[in-house]
Structure formats: structure tokens, C-alpha cells
Amino acid sequence: GSGGSHLIYPEDPPGFAVLVDLDPTIPILAERIYLIALTAVADWAHQGWNHIWSSRHPKFSLEKYGVVLSFRPLTMPNQQHQLKTSQMILGLLHLIDQMEKRVEGFCASTVSTVMEREPTAFIRLALPEKAAAEGGSWFGSGNTTSKVDTTTEMREAGTLANTNRIIDPEDSNFAIAYKTKGEKIPCVDLLSAALYAMATAAQGKNDEFCEDLAGFNGQSTVVYRVHGKRPTQSMHLLAYEQVRRGLVLLVPTLYGEGKCEEVQFTFEFGGDVLGGGSFELSGSVGVAAQ
């Protein structure tokens, strides 16, 4: 129908399992892992939650934020359970969840996804070869790349209300306006809330209207909210693709600017405000959910 959808955080399908392997001898900054996971989930989700990845799909590798994320299908052409986007996203979420909970912490690691005992995908998080060769010293005090490479120059001069705007470098009609509220959020918590929001939005079709999206990060310390404005005849709709794109533009920018804080934001297209959202500490959220 024309109504929007209310998605909740994705659940594992029946028969789904993961095999996680952590290598604590190669620690990786948690924030970097969240950032690259945010990018990967957005990229994968673009293909569709139920998209089937061919068993012959070439090995894929993404290097960003000083981390390499690689994946390859483990499926055979004739096996019953083929690899779907959902399994890759859930596998990565489980891997990160294990690193949050286990003593090894955030480090070089792998996860294999399984459907009813049939392997479907293999995902690896590692340091770039140069950094690995230096025994991880790349994260030492001499690290010049600690600032995240935000692809957008923004802070426009003279915007009075302390509102910043990020124009999408791939589509100048699309922008995110945001205002931080000065209330600090631990960066890891903000990033994990963004990843949970991204994973929830990943279930929506690219052009499907996002009426509202809300939930917490893994520790329930941060609440995220996104809501699309009710459609009128003329207005563009806030679609899930734009929600995901907006998160990819906004959250690494906040982190790169050292602004891990409560934030309100709006999605804009061609000057129209399509909707908005926020990240807030869950303790500061009133009972009346908007």
C-alpha cells in the first residue's frame, strides 16, 4: 500500500548461525570497525534485503577508515540456501556484537554465516597490509590519519542557528542539515546506534516510504529516531535509500569533527524537508515518544 512501514531491528531467520573467530593480537579501534560496518551495510542494503548473491560473485574488499572489510560467498550453485544480503548484514552485526561482549574486544576477526548447516558467506575485518606489517603500530601516536576522511566540506559560513548542512557529493539535490545539542555521547555508543539504525533501515526497499524508525544501540544507552513527513501531492517522500545515505553522510562527519553529541537532523531534497530524526541519550528521552 501507500502507507509507510514501521521496521524493527532484524531478527535471525530460522536455521541461521554464525561462526566467529577473533584475533586479539591485532586490536582495531572499535570506532573504525563501526564506521566501515556502517558503509558496508549501506552498500549491501542498496542491493535489497533479499537479494541473492551469486556463488560466483567475486571476492569483495572495502578499505576505509584504516580497516579492510572483505567478504566472499561460500555457497555452491546447487545448494538449497543461497546467500542473501540479510545474512551478510546479520553476520557482520553478530561479529560486532561478539566483540562488544567478549574479553578479546575489537580486533582482526572473521565471521562465517551458515543456513541450516550450509555455509553461505565469509567476512573478514583486518588492518591494511602496510599497517599489519608494522605490527599494528600504525595506531600509535604517529598516526596522521586519525581524522576520518569525511568526503564533504560543509560548515557554511554564517549559518546562525548553529545548523550545519552536508550536501551529498553524489546528488547535490540531497542534503542533511544537523544541529548538535552539546550533550556528549561516547563515540562508540553513537556509532553503534547508527549501525543499529542502518541495519533496521536495510530491511526497507530503496524507494519505500520510511514513516518511522526507532530503536536503541546494543547497550540501550542511545536512542535513534527517524520519521518521514506525511506525503502530500507535490512532495518527495523520505525513502529508505535516503535514510541510509543520510546516515552514511551524517555520522562519519560527526565523528570526524569530534562531535559525538546528541544531534537533531533533517533530510532535504531539492529544498523540501522530507523528514528528520535524532540521536539522543536514552536517559534524557521523555516518556512521550514523538
Side-chain angles (χ1 to χ4, degrees):
S2 60
S5 56
H6 306 251
L7 297 177
I8 58 168
Y9 189 69
E11 292 191 354
D12 293 346
F16 181 77
V18 293
L19 302 165
V20 167
D21 187 32
L22 307 181
D23 180 359
T25 66
I26 306 174
I28 301 178
L29 201 64
E31 287 89 339
R32 294 171 183 271
I33 287 178
Y34 279 114
L35 286 164
I36 198 165
L38 202 65
T39 304
V41 171
D43 287 353
W44 294 342
H46 183 71
Q47 302 296 323
W49 184 250
N50 291 311
H51 172 76
I52 292 177
W53 297 69
S54 160
S55 57
R56 290 183 293 280
H57 191 283
K59 182 181 171 183
F60 156 99
S61 190
L62 170 69
E63 181 174 337
K64 215 170 177 184
Y65 308 117
V67 183
V68 178
L69 185 153
S70 52
F71 103 87
R72 65 174 192 270
L74 298 178
T75 46
M76 294 294 175
N78 56 350
Q79 78 179 40
Q80 183 193 351
H81 291 285
Q82 291 299 313
L83 172 60
K84 291 182 176 177
T85 304
S86 53
Q87 296 164 26
M88 290 152 54
I89 292 175
L90 289 165
L92 186 56
L93 293 171
H94 277 287
L95 175 58
I96 289 173
D97 188 52
Q98 288 293 307
M99 288 190 276
E100 276 185 352
K101 291 182 171 134
R102 279 166 54 173
V103 64
E104 293 94 332
F106 284 79
C107 57
S109 48
T110 63
V111 59
S112 301
T113 59
V114 177
M115 279 297 288
E116 290 178 6
R117 292 188 287 283
E118 291 183 336
T120 58
F122 180 78
I123 301 169
R124 177 192 297 277
L125 292 170
L127 292 179
E129 304 222 329
K130 177 177 80 80
E134 293 168 10
S137 63
W138 195 71
F139 291 110
S141 54
N143 178 8
T144 53
T145 54
S146 60
K147 284 289 268 188
V148 169
D149 58 312
T150 48
T151 49
T152 43
E153 278 296 320
M154 43 200 187
R155 205 176 283 110
E156 293 179 354
T159 42
L160 283 176
N162 185 25
T163 301
N164 295 290
R165 185 167 274 96
I166 308 168
I167 311 284
D168 187 344
E170 291 174 20
D171 179 357
S172 57
N173 283 312
F174 184 60
I176 297 283
Y178 69 93
K179 187 175 179 177
T180 51
K181 297 158 100 182
E183 191 70 44
K184 292 276 180 216
I185 296 178
C187 288
V188 169
D189 290 5
L190 177 65
L191 293 170
S192 76
L195 181 60
Y196 272 58
M198 181 71 78
T200 305
Q203 301 167 97
K205 294 186 176 68
N206 290 341
D207 58 356
E208 184 183 343
F209 173 46
C210 174
E211 187 170 354
D212 69 340
L213 199 66
F216 296 93
N217 63 331
Q219 277 80 24
S220 298
T221 51
V222 176
V223 64
Y224 63 83
R225 284 209 187 85
V226 173
H227 48 87
K229 281 177 121 171
R230 281 251 163 243
T232 58
Q233 250 47 53
S234 63
M235 209 177 70
H236 298 95
L237 290 182
L238 179 65
Y240 281 104
E241 173 78 352
Q242 291 167 313
V243 172
R244 299 190 298 256
R245 181 70 185 149
L247 291 171
V248 164
L249 292 171
L250 172 68
V251 176
T253 298
L254 292 173
Y255 177 74
E257 296 196 327
K259 283 195 194 157
C260 296
E261 300 172 14
E262 291 194 333
V263 61
Q264 287 179 307
F265 50 90
T266 54
F267 302 89
E268 302 175 359
F269 190 83
D272 278 340
V273 174
L274 306 185
S278 60
F279 288 99
E280 295 174 297
L281 290 164
S282 50
S284 63
V285 175
V287 179
Q290 54 175 4

